[in-house]
Amino acid sequence: MSTELTILLVGAAVLAVATLGVAVMLLIRLVRTRRALRRAGLPVERRWVFWGAVAYLLLPADLLPDPVYLDDIGALLLALRSMRSAAADGPPAPGR
């Protein structure tokens, strides 16, 4: 194997591990946010956002192949933003 190919493969592996690390960190933040919202009274309409993001991260069918976790990171960021906006809105009113 040539030196250039080895460097390219190592660089690609490092990039894949780094994006996976970011995705795992975002998943942990999403789970922590869900726990905090659950203690405060998680709105029912936001539950699908959490489970949808987790499923998108874990399922093999993606927009981009799994060594490239950018689409997974985007889904996790959108779910986290949606859940944080639910926290800012407060718990749902009774009878809503």
Coordinates of all heavy atoms in Angstrom, one line a residue:
M1 N 0.8 -1.2 0.0 CA 0.0 0.0 0.0 C 0.9 1.2 0.0 O 1.9 1.3 0.7 CB -0.9 0.0 1.3 CG -2.3 0.3 0.9 SD -3.4 0.7 2.3 CE -3.4 -0.8 3.3
S2 N 0.5 2.2 -0.7 CA 1.3 3.4 -0.8 C 1.0 4.3 0.5 O 0.0 4.2 1.2 CB 0.9 4.3 -2.0 OG -0.4 4.8 -1.9
T3 N 2.0 5.2 0.7 CA 1.9 6.0 1.9 C 0.7 7.0 1.8 O 0.0 7.2 2.8 CB 3.2 6.8 2.0 OG1 4.3 5.9 2.0 CG2 3.2 7.7 3.3
E4 N 0.4 7.5 0.6 CA -0.7 8.4 0.4 C -2.0 7.8 0.8 O -2.9 8.3 1.4 CB -0.7 9.0 -1.0 CG 0.5 9.9 -1.3 CD 1.7 9.1 -1.8 OE1 1.5 8.0 -2.2 OE2 2.8 9.6 -1.7
L5 N -2.2 6.5 0.3 CA -3.4 5.8 0.5 C -3.6 5.5 2.0 O -4.7 5.6 2.6 CB -3.4 4.5 -0.3 CG -4.7 3.6 -0.1 CD1 -5.9 4.4 -0.6 CD2 -4.5 2.4 -0.9
T6 N -2.5 5.2 2.7 CA -2.5 4.9 4.1 C -2.9 6.2 4.9 O -3.8 6.1 5.8 CB -1.2 4.4 4.6 OG1 -0.8 3.3 3.9 CG2 -1.2 4.1 6.1
I7 N -2.4 7.3 4.5 CA -2.7 8.6 5.2 C -4.2 8.9 4.9 O -4.9 9.3 5.8 CB -1.8 9.7 4.7 CG1 -0.4 9.5 5.2 CG2 -2.3 11.1 5.1 CD1 0.7 10.4 4.6
L8 N -4.7 8.7 3.7 CA -6.1 8.9 3.4 C -7.0 8.1 4.2 O -8.0 8.5 4.7 CB -6.3 8.7 1.9 CG -7.7 9.0 1.4 CD1 -8.0 10.5 1.5 CD2 -7.8 8.6 -0.1
L9 N -6.7 6.8 4.3 CA -7.5 5.8 5.1 C -7.5 6.2 6.5 O -8.6 6.1 7.2 CB -7.1 4.4 4.8 CG -7.3 3.8 3.5 CD1 -6.7 2.4 3.3 CD2 -8.8 3.8 3.2
V10 N -6.4 6.5 7.1 CA -6.3 6.9 8.5 C -7.1 8.2 8.7 O -7.8 8.3 9.7 CB -4.8 7.0 9.0 CG1 -4.7 7.7 10.3 CG2 -4.2 5.7 9.0
G11 N -7.0 9.1 7.8 CA -7.7 10.4 8.0 C -9.2 10.2 7.9 O -10.0 10.8 8.7
A12 N -9.7 9.3 7.0 CA -11.1 9.0 6.9 C -11.6 8.3 8.1 O -12.7 8.6 8.6 CB -11.3 8.1 5.6
A13 N -10.8 7.4 8.7 CA -11.2 6.7 9.9 C -11.3 7.7 11.1 O -12.2 7.6 11.9 CB -10.2 5.6 10.2
V14 N -10.3 8.6 11.2 CA -10.3 9.6 12.3 C -11.6 10.5 12.1 O -12.3 10.8 13.1 CB -9.0 10.4 12.3 CG1 -9.2 11.6 13.2 CG2 -7.9 9.5 12.7
L15 N -11.9 10.9 10.9 CA -13.1 11.7 10.7 C -14.4 11.0 11.0 O -15.3 11.5 11.6 CB -13.1 12.2 9.2 CG -14.2 13.1 8.8 CD1 -14.2 14.4 9.6 CD2 -14.2 13.4 7.3
A16 N -14.4 9.7 10.7 CA -15.6 8.9 11.0 C -15.8 8.7 12.5 O -16.9 8.8 13.0 CB -15.5 7.5 10.3
V17 N -14.7 8.5 13.2 CA -14.8 8.3 14.7 C -15.1 9.7 15.3 O -15.9 9.7 16.3 CB -13.4 7.8 15.2 CG1 -13.4 7.9 16.7 CG2 -13.2 6.4 14.8
A18 N -14.6 10.8 14.8 CA -15.0 12.1 15.4 C -16.4 12.4 15.2 O -17.1 12.9 16.1 CB -14.1 13.2 14.7
T19 N -17.0 12.1 14.0 CA -18.4 12.4 13.8 C -19.3 11.5 14.6 O -20.3 11.9 15.1 CB -18.8 12.4 12.3 OG1 -18.4 11.1 11.7 CG2 -18.1 13.5 11.5
L20 N -18.9 10.3 14.8 CA -19.6 9.3 15.6 C -19.6 9.8 17.1 O -20.6 9.8 17.8 CB -19.0 7.9 15.5 CG -19.7 6.9 16.5 CD1 -21.1 6.7 16.1 CD2 -18.9 5.6 16.4
G21 N -18.5 10.3 17.5 CA -18.4 10.9 18.9 C -19.3 12.1 19.1 O -20.0 12.2 20.1
V22 N -19.4 12.9 18.1 CA -20.3 14.1 18.1 C -21.8 13.6 18.2 O -22.6 14.1 19.0 CB -20.1 15.0 17.0 CG1 -21.2 16.1 16.9 CG2 -18.8 15.7 17.1
A23 N -22.1 12.6 17.4 CA -23.4 12.0 17.4 C -23.8 11.4 18.7 O -24.9 11.6 19.2 CB -23.6 11.0 16.3
V24 N -22.9 10.7 19.3 CA -23.1 10.1 20.7 C -23.3 11.2 21.7 O -24.2 11.1 22.6 CB -22.0 9.1 21.0 CG1 -22.0 8.7 22.5 CG2 -22.0 7.9 20.1
M25 N -22.5 12.2 21.7 CA -22.6 13.3 22.6 C -24.0 14.0 22.5 O -24.6 14.3 23.5 CB -21.5 14.4 22.4 CG -20.1 13.9 23.0 SD -18.7 15.0 22.8 CE -19.3 16.5 22.0
L26 N -24.4 14.2 21.3 CA -25.7 14.8 21.1 C -26.8 13.9 21.5 O -27.8 14.4 22.1 CB -25.9 15.2 19.6 CG -25.1 16.4 19.1 CD1 -25.2 16.5 17.6 CD2 -25.6 17.6 19.8
L27 N -26.7 12.6 21.3 CA -27.7 11.6 21.8 C -27.8 11.7 23.4 O -28.8 11.7 23.9 CB -27.3 10.2 21.4 CG -28.3 9.1 21.8 CD1 -29.7 9.4 21.3 CD2 -27.8 7.8 21.4
I28 N -26.6 11.8 24.0 CA -26.6 11.9 25.5 C -27.3 13.2 25.9 O -28.1 13.2 26.9 CB -25.2 11.8 26.0 CG1 -24.6 10.4 25.8 CG2 -25.1 12.2 27.5 CD1 -23.1 10.3 26.1
R29 N -27.0 14.3 25.2 CA -27.7 15.6 25.6 C -29.2 15.5 25.4 O -30.0 16.0 26.1 CB -27.1 16.7 24.8 CG -25.8 17.1 25.2 CD -25.2 18.3 24.5 NE -26.1 19.5 24.7 CZ -25.9 20.6 24.2 NH1 -24.9 20.8 23.3 NH2 -26.7 21.7 24.4
L30 N -29.6 14.8 24.3 CA -31.0 14.6 24.0 C -31.7 13.8 25.1 O -32.8 14.1 25.5 CB -31.2 14.0 22.6 CG -32.6 13.8 22.1 CD1 -33.2 15.2 21.8 CD2 -32.6 13.0 20.8
V31 N -31.1 12.7 25.5 CA -31.6 11.9 26.6 C -31.7 12.7 27.9 O -32.8 12.6 28.6 CB -30.8 10.6 26.8 CG1 -31.2 9.9 28.0 CG2 -31.0 9.7 25.5
R32 N -30.7 13.5 28.2 CA -30.8 14.3 29.4 C -31.9 15.3 29.3 O -32.6 15.6 30.3 CB -29.4 14.9 29.6 CG -28.4 14.0 30.1 CD -27.1 14.7 30.4 NE -26.1 13.7 30.8 CZ -24.8 14.0 30.8 NH1 -24.3 15.1 30.4 NH2 -23.9 13.1 31.3
T33 N -32.0 15.9 28.2 CA -33.1 16.9 28.0 C -34.5 16.3 28.1 O -35.4 16.8 28.7 CB -33.0 17.6 26.6 OG1 -31.7 18.3 26.5 CG2 -34.1 18.6 26.4
R34 N -34.6 15.1 27.6 CA -35.9 14.4 27.7 C -36.2 14.1 29.1 O -37.3 14.2 29.6 CB -35.9 13.1 26.9 CG -37.2 12.4 26.9 CD -37.2 11.2 26.1 NE -38.5 10.5 26.1 CZ -38.9 9.5 26.9 NH1 -38.0 9.1 27.8 NH2 -40.1 9.0 26.9
R35 N -35.2 13.6 29.9 CA -35.4 13.4 31.3 C -35.8 14.6 32.1 O -36.8 14.6 32.9 CB -34.1 12.8 32.0 CG -33.9 11.4 31.7 CD -32.8 10.9 32.6 NE -32.2 9.6 32.0 CZ -31.0 9.3 32.0 NH1 -30.1 10.1 32.6 NH2 -30.6 8.2 31.5
A36 N -35.2 15.7 31.8 CA -35.5 17.0 32.5 C -36.9 17.4 32.1 O -37.7 17.9 32.9 CB -34.5 18.1 32.1
L37 N -37.3 17.3 30.8 CA -38.6 17.7 30.4 C -39.7 16.7 31.0 O -40.8 17.1 31.3 CB -38.7 17.7 28.9 CG -38.0 18.8 28.2 CD1 -38.1 18.7 26.7 CD2 -38.6 20.2 28.6
R38 N -39.3 15.5 31.1 CA -40.3 14.5 31.6 C -40.6 14.8 33.1 O -41.7 14.7 33.5 CB -39.7 13.1 31.5 CG -40.7 12.0 31.7 CD -40.0 10.7 31.4 NE -41.0 9.7 31.0 CZ -40.8 8.5 30.8 NH1 -39.6 8.0 31.0 NH2 -41.7 7.7 30.4
R39 N -39.5 15.2 33.9 CA -39.8 15.6 35.2 C -40.7 16.8 35.3 O -41.4 17.0 36.3 CB -38.4 15.9 35.9 CG -37.7 14.6 36.3 CD -36.5 15.0 37.2 NE -35.4 14.2 36.6 CZ -34.3 14.7 36.1 NH1 -34.1 16.0 36.1 NH2 -33.3 13.9 35.7
A40 N -40.5 17.7 34.3 CA -41.3 18.9 34.3 C -42.7 18.8 33.6 O -43.5 19.7 33.6 CB -40.5 20.0 33.6
G41 N -42.9 17.6 33.1 CA -44.2 17.4 32.3 C -44.0 17.5 30.8 O -44.4 18.5 30.3
L42 N -43.4 16.5 30.2 CA -43.1 16.5 28.8 C -44.4 16.6 28.0 O -45.3 15.7 28.2 CB -42.3 15.3 28.4 CG -42.0 15.0 26.9 CD1 -41.0 16.1 26.5 CD2 -41.4 13.7 26.7
P43 N -44.5 17.5 27.1 CA -45.7 17.6 26.2 C -45.8 16.3 25.3 O -44.8 15.9 24.8 CB -45.5 18.8 25.4 CG -44.5 19.6 26.1 CD -43.7 18.7 26.9
V44 N -47.0 15.8 25.2 CA -47.2 14.5 24.4 C -46.7 14.7 23.0 O -46.1 13.8 22.4 CB -48.6 14.1 24.5 CG1 -48.9 12.9 23.7 CG2 -49.0 13.8 26.0
E45 N -47.0 15.8 22.4 CA -46.7 16.0 21.0 C -45.2 16.0 20.7 O -44.7 15.9 19.6 CB -47.3 17.3 20.4 CG -46.9 18.6 21.1 CD -47.7 19.0 22.3 OE1 -48.5 18.2 22.7 OE2 -47.5 20.1 22.8
R46 N -44.3 16.2 21.7 CA -42.9 16.2 21.5 C -42.2 14.8 21.7 O -41.1 14.7 21.4 CB -42.2 17.1 22.5 CG -42.7 18.6 22.5 CD -42.2 19.3 21.3 NE -42.6 20.7 21.4 CZ -42.5 21.6 20.5 NH1 -42.1 21.2 19.3 NH2 -42.9 22.8 20.7
R47 N -43.0 13.8 22.1 CA -42.4 12.5 22.3 C -41.9 11.9 21.0 O -40.9 11.2 20.9 CB -43.3 11.6 23.0 CG -43.5 11.9 24.4 CD -44.4 10.9 25.1 NE -44.6 11.4 26.5 CZ -45.5 10.9 27.3 NH1 -46.3 10.0 26.9 NH2 -45.7 11.4 28.5
W48 N -42.6 12.1 19.9 CA -42.3 11.5 18.6 C -41.0 12.1 18.1 O -40.2 11.4 17.4 CB -43.4 11.7 17.6 CG -43.6 13.2 17.2 CD1 -44.4 14.1 17.8 CD2 -42.9 13.8 16.1 NE1 -44.3 15.3 17.2 CE2 -43.4 15.2 16.1 CE3 -42.0 13.5 15.2 CZ2 -42.9 16.1 15.2 CZ3 -41.5 14.4 14.3 CH2 -42.0 15.7 14.3
V49 N -40.7 13.3 18.5 CA -39.4 14.0 18.1 C -38.2 13.2 18.7 O -37.3 12.9 18.0 CB -39.4 15.5 18.5 CG1 -38.0 16.1 18.2 CG2 -40.5 16.2 17.8
F50 N -38.3 12.9 20.0 CA -37.3 12.2 20.6 C -37.0 10.8 20.0 O -35.9 10.4 19.6 CB -37.6 12.1 22.1 CG -36.6 11.2 22.9 CD1 -35.4 11.6 23.2 CD2 -37.0 9.9 23.2 CE1 -34.5 10.8 23.9 CE2 -36.1 9.0 23.9 CZ -34.8 9.5 24.2
W51 N -38.1 10.0 20.0 CA -38.0 8.7 19.5 C -37.7 8.6 18.0 O -36.9 7.7 17.5 CB -39.3 7.9 19.7 CG -39.4 7.6 21.2 CD1 -40.4 8.1 22.0 CD2 -38.6 6.8 22.0 NE1 -40.2 7.7 23.3 CE2 -39.1 6.9 23.3 CE3 -37.5 6.1 21.8 CZ2 -38.5 6.2 24.4 CZ3 -36.9 5.4 22.9 CH2 -37.4 5.5 24.1
G52 N -38.1 9.6 17.2 CA -37.7 9.7 15.8 C -36.3 9.9 15.6 O -35.6 9.3 14.8
A53 N -35.7 10.8 16.4 CA -34.2 11.1 16.3 C -33.4 9.9 16.7 O -32.4 9.6 16.1 CB -33.9 12.3 17.2
V54 N -33.8 9.2 17.8 CA -33.1 8.1 18.3 C -33.2 6.9 17.2 O -32.2 6.3 16.9 CB -33.6 7.6 19.6 CG1 -33.0 6.2 20.0 CG2 -33.3 8.6 20.7
A55 N -34.3 6.7 16.7 CA -34.5 5.7 15.6 C -33.7 6.0 14.4 O -33.0 5.1 13.8 CB -36.0 5.6 15.3
Y56 N -33.6 7.3 14.0 CA -32.9 7.7 12.8 C -31.4 7.4 13.1 O -30.7 7.0 12.1 CB -33.1 9.1 12.5 CG -32.5 9.5 11.1 CD1 -33.2 9.2 10.0 CD2 -31.3 10.2 11.0 CE1 -32.6 9.5 8.7 CE2 -30.8 10.5 9.8 CZ -31.4 10.1 8.7 OH -30.9 10.4 7.5
L57 N -30.9 7.7 14.3 CA -29.5 7.4 14.6 C -29.2 5.9 14.5 O -28.1 5.5 14.0 CB -29.1 8.0 15.9 CG -27.7 7.8 16.4 CD1 -26.7 8.5 15.5 CD2 -27.5 8.2 17.8
L58 N -30.1 5.1 15.1 CA -29.8 3.7 15.2 C -30.1 2.8 14.0 O -29.5 1.8 13.7 CB -30.6 3.1 16.4 CG -30.2 3.7 17.8 CD1 -31.0 3.1 18.8 CD2 -28.7 3.5 18.1
L59 N -31.1 3.2 13.2 CA -31.5 2.4 12.0 C -30.5 2.6 10.9 O -29.9 3.6 10.7 CB -32.9 2.9 11.5 CG -34.0 2.5 12.5 CD1 -35.3 3.1 11.9 CD2 -34.2 1.0 12.7
P60 N -30.3 1.5 10.1 CA -29.3 1.5 9.1 C -29.7 2.3 7.9 O -28.8 2.7 7.1 CB -29.1 0.0 8.7 CG -30.3 -0.6 9.1 CD -30.9 0.2 10.3
A61 N -30.9 2.6 7.6 CA -31.4 3.4 6.5 C -31.2 4.9 6.7 O -31.9 5.4 7.6 CB -32.8 3.1 6.1
D62 N -30.3 5.5 6.1 CA -30.0 6.9 6.2 C -29.9 7.6 4.9 O -29.8 7.0 3.8 CB -28.6 7.1 6.9 CG -28.6 6.9 8.4 OD1 -29.7 6.8 9.0 OD2 -27.5 6.8 9.0
L63 N -29.9 9.0 5.0 CA -29.7 9.7 3.7 C -28.3 9.6 3.3 O -28.0 9.6 2.1 CB -30.1 11.2 4.0 CG -31.6 11.5 4.3 CD1 -31.7 13.0 4.6 CD2 -32.4 11.1 3.1
L64 N -27.4 9.6 4.2 CA -25.9 9.4 3.9 C -25.5 8.1 4.6 O -26.0 7.7 5.6 CB -25.1 10.6 4.5 CG -25.4 11.9 3.9 CD1 -24.7 13.0 4.7 CD2 -25.1 12.0 2.5
P65 N -24.5 7.4 4.0 CA -24.0 6.2 4.6 C -23.5 6.4 6.0 O -23.1 7.5 6.4 CB -22.9 5.8 3.7 CG -22.9 6.6 2.5 CD -23.8 7.8 2.8
D66 N -23.6 5.4 6.9 CA -23.3 5.6 8.3 C -21.9 6.0 8.7 O -21.8 6.6 9.7 CB -23.7 4.3 9.1 CG -25.0 4.5 9.8 OD1 -25.5 5.6 9.8 OD2 -25.6 3.5 10.2
P67 N -20.9 5.8 7.9 CA -19.6 6.4 8.3 C -19.6 7.9 8.3 O -18.8 8.5 8.9 CB -18.6 5.8 7.3 CG -19.2 4.6 6.8 CD -20.7 4.8 6.9
V68 N -20.6 8.5 7.6 CA -20.8 9.9 7.6 C -22.0 10.2 8.4 O -23.1 10.1 8.0 CB -21.0 10.4 6.1 CG1 -21.1 11.9 6.1 CG2 -19.8 10.0 5.3
Y69 N -21.8 10.7 9.7 CA -22.9 10.9 10.6 C -23.5 12.3 10.6 O -24.2 12.7 11.5 CB -22.4 10.5 12.0 CG -22.2 9.1 12.2 CD1 -21.0 8.5 12.1 CD2 -23.3 8.2 12.5 CE1 -20.7 7.2 12.3 CE2 -23.1 6.9 12.7 CZ -21.8 6.4 12.6 OH -21.6 5.0 12.8
L70 N -23.2 13.0 9.5 CA -23.7 14.4 9.5 C -25.2 14.5 9.4 O -25.8 15.4 10.1 CB -23.1 15.1 8.2 CG -21.6 15.3 8.3 CD1 -21.1 15.9 7.0 CD2 -21.2 16.0 9.5
D71 N -25.9 13.6 8.7 CA -27.4 13.6 8.7 C -27.9 13.2 10.1 O -28.9 13.7 10.6 CB -27.9 12.8 7.6 CG -27.5 11.3 7.7 OD1 -26.4 11.0 8.2 OD2 -28.3 10.4 7.2
D72 N -27.3 12.2 10.7 CA -27.7 11.8 12.1 C -27.5 13.0 13.1 O -28.4 13.2 13.9 CB -26.9 10.6 12.5 CG -27.1 9.4 11.6 OD1 -28.2 8.8 11.7 OD2 -26.2 9.1 10.9
I73 N -26.4 13.7 13.0 CA -26.2 14.8 13.8 C -27.2 15.9 13.6 O -27.7 16.5 14.5 CB -24.7 15.4 13.6 CG1 -23.7 14.4 14.1 CG2 -24.6 16.7 14.3 CD1 -22.3 14.7 13.8
G74 N -27.6 16.1 12.3 CA -28.6 17.1 12.0 C -30.0 16.7 12.6 O -30.7 17.6 13.2
A75 N -30.3 15.4 12.6 CA -31.6 15.0 13.2 C -31.6 15.1 14.7 O -32.6 15.6 15.3 CB -31.9 13.5 12.8
L76 N -30.5 14.8 15.3 CA -30.3 15.0 16.7 C -30.4 16.5 17.2 O -31.1 16.8 18.1 CB -29.1 14.3 17.3 CG -29.0 12.8 17.2 CD1 -27.6 12.3 17.5 CD2 -30.0 12.2 18.2
L77 N -29.8 17.3 16.4 CA -29.8 18.7 16.7 C -31.2 19.3 16.6 O -31.7 20.1 17.4 CB -28.8 19.5 15.8 CG -27.4 19.4 16.2 CD1 -26.5 20.1 15.1 CD2 -27.1 20.0 17.5
L78 N -31.9 18.9 15.5 CA -33.3 19.3 15.3 C -34.2 18.9 16.5 O -35.0 19.6 17.0 CB -33.9 18.9 14.0 CG -33.3 19.6 12.8 CD1 -33.8 18.9 11.5 CD2 -33.8 21.1 12.8
A79 N -34.0 17.6 16.9 CA -34.8 17.1 18.0 C -34.5 17.8 19.3 O -35.4 18.2 20.1 CB -34.6 15.6 18.2
L80 N -33.2 18.1 19.5 CA -32.8 18.8 20.7 C -33.4 20.2 20.7 O -33.9 20.7 21.8 CB -31.3 18.8 20.8 CG -30.7 19.3 22.1 CD1 -31.1 18.5 23.3 CD2 -29.1 19.3 22.0
R81 N -33.3 20.9 19.6 CA -33.9 22.2 19.5 C -35.4 22.2 19.7 O -35.9 23.1 20.4 CB -33.5 22.8 18.1 CG -34.0 24.2 18.0 CD -33.6 24.7 16.6 NE -34.1 26.1 16.5 CZ -34.0 26.8 15.4 NH1 -33.4 26.3 14.3 NH2 -34.5 28.0 15.3
S82 N -36.1 21.2 19.2 CA -37.5 21.1 19.3 C -37.9 20.9 20.8 O -38.8 21.5 21.3 CB -38.0 20.0 18.4 OG -39.4 19.8 18.7
M83 N -37.1 20.0 21.4 CA -37.4 19.7 22.8 C -37.1 20.9 23.8 O -37.8 21.1 24.7 CB -36.7 18.4 23.3 CG -37.2 17.2 22.5 SD -36.4 15.7 23.0 CE -37.2 15.4 24.6
R84 N -36.0 21.6 23.4 CA -35.7 22.8 24.2 C -36.7 23.9 24.1 O -37.1 24.6 25.0 CB -34.3 23.3 23.8 CG -33.2 22.3 24.1 CD -32.4 22.8 25.3 NE -31.5 21.8 25.7 CZ -30.2 22.0 26.0 NH1 -29.8 23.2 26.0 NH2 -29.5 21.0 26.4
S85 N -37.3 24.0 22.9 CA -38.4 25.0 22.7 C -39.6 24.6 23.4 O -40.4 25.4 23.9 CB -38.7 25.2 21.2 OG -39.3 24.1 20.7
A86 N -39.8 23.3 23.6 CA -41.0 22.8 24.4 C -40.7 23.1 25.9 O -41.7 23.5 26.6 CB -41.1 21.3 24.3
A87 N -39.5 23.1 26.3 CA -39.2 23.5 27.7 C -39.4 24.9 27.9 O -39.9 25.4 28.9 CB -37.7 23.1 28.0
A88 N -39.1 25.7 26.9 CA -39.3 27.2 27.0 C -40.8 27.5 27.0 O -41.2 28.5 27.7 CB -38.6 27.9 25.8
D89 N -41.6 26.7 26.3 CA -43.0 27.0 26.3 C -43.7 26.6 27.6 O -44.8 27.1 27.9 CB -43.7 26.2 25.2 CG -43.3 26.6 23.8 OD1 -42.7 27.8 23.7 OD2 -43.4 25.9 22.9
G90 N -43.0 25.7 28.4 CA -43.6 25.3 29.7 C -44.5 24.1 29.5 O -44.7 23.6 28.4
P91 N -44.9 23.6 30.7 CA -45.8 22.4 30.6 C -47.1 22.7 29.9 O -47.6 23.9 30.0 CB -46.0 22.0 32.0 CG -45.6 23.2 32.8 CD -44.7 24.0 32.0
P92 N -47.8 21.7 29.3 CA -49.1 22.0 28.7 C -50.1 22.4 29.7 O -50.1 21.9 30.8 CB -49.4 20.7 27.9 CG -48.6 19.7 28.7 CD -47.4 20.4 29.2
A93 N -51.1 23.2 29.2 CA -52.2 23.5 30.1 C -53.1 22.3 30.2 O -53.2 21.5 29.4 CB -53.0 24.7 29.4
P94 N -53.8 22.2 31.4 CA -54.7 21.1 31.6 C -55.9 21.1 30.6 O -56.4 22.2 30.2 CB -55.3 21.4 33.0 CG -54.4 22.3 33.7 CD -53.7 23.1 32.6
G95 N -56.2 20.0 30.1 CA -57.3 19.9 29.1 C -56.9 20.2 27.7 O -57.7 20.3 26.8
R96 N -55.6 20.4 27.5 CA -55.1 20.7 26.1 C -54.7 19.5 25.3 O -54.3 18.5 25.7 CB -53.9 21.6 26.3 CG -53.6 22.4 25.1 CD -52.6 23.4 25.4 NE -51.7 23.5 24.3 CZ -50.5 24.0 24.2 NH1 -50.1 24.6 25.3 NH2 -49.8 24.1 23.1

